[in-house]
Every structure is written in C-alpha cells, then in structure tokens.
Amino acid sequence: DVERKRGNYQRALDMYVESLSMLRQTLGPQHSECAEPLHGMGLVQHQMGRYDQALDSIQSALKIVEREFGVSHYKVGVFLSS
C-alpha cells in the first residue's frame, strides 16, 4: 500500500499480484485473505486508468467477502465504496 500511496503504481500492482499468488497457493483462491490484495489491485488499476480491470478486481474481492462473511459485513461496504 505504501507504493500505491507514493504513486509507484506498477510496483504496487506487482506486489499485490505476488501477494495474491502466494495467498491463493497456500490458502486457496476463495479464501477471505485473497480479498485484500484483489481490492488493492483494483485501487491501483483505477489510479492507472485501467477501469475495466479495476472493476473486475474489486468485484472479485467483493464476491469473496460476501461469500465468506455475508452481505452485511463491513468490508462489503468498504469495497462497494471503492
């Protein structure tokens, strides 16, 4: 997240992709921990002007959180406001 806040979007995206890959390998692709890097990827992609990719990433994160915790979980609200 530091790289994103510094404006180093490609570096931030690379880090999120690497993190997501490790989490998927160790915990499975639908584990709730995978939602965080997906959400971060969406934020970075949005800042890079990659709006379709951003929407896909954030929606993927949202689906994981909704399935894991339900639609009234606070992260659903966080992800919806992204």
Side-chain angles (χ1 to χ4, degrees):
D1 203 42
V2 172
E3 295 294 348
R4 179 179 64 85
K5 291 179 181 178
R6 286 180 163 176
N8 298 327
Y9 301 131
Q10 188 58 56
R11 175 74 179 130
L13 186 58
D14 292 343
M15 292 174 74
Y16 283 126
V17 168
E18 183 178 353
S19 172
L20 180 60
S21 176
M22 289 188 301
L23 289 168
R24 283 179 169 168
Q25 287 176 356
T26 57
L27 301 174
Q30 298 302 314
H31 193 278
S32 61
E33 289 295 321
C34 293
E36 290 297 328
L38 279 166
H39 182 249
M41 287 169 57
L43 296 176
V44 171
Q45 290 161 333
H46 180 265
Q47 289 171 311
M48 296 173 82
R50 300 177 183 173
Y51 302 116
D52 290 338
Q53 291 175 351
L55 187 58
D56 288 344
S57 295
I58 291 172
Q59 286 178 337
S60 293
L62 185 61
K63 286 178 187 175
I64 290 170
V65 171
E66 286 178 341
R67 182 174 35 253
E68 185 81 17
F69 302 114
V71 295
S72 59
H73 192 269
Y74 79 94
K75 282 192 178 185
V76 172
V78 170
F79 293 173
L80 282 173
S81 68
S82 299

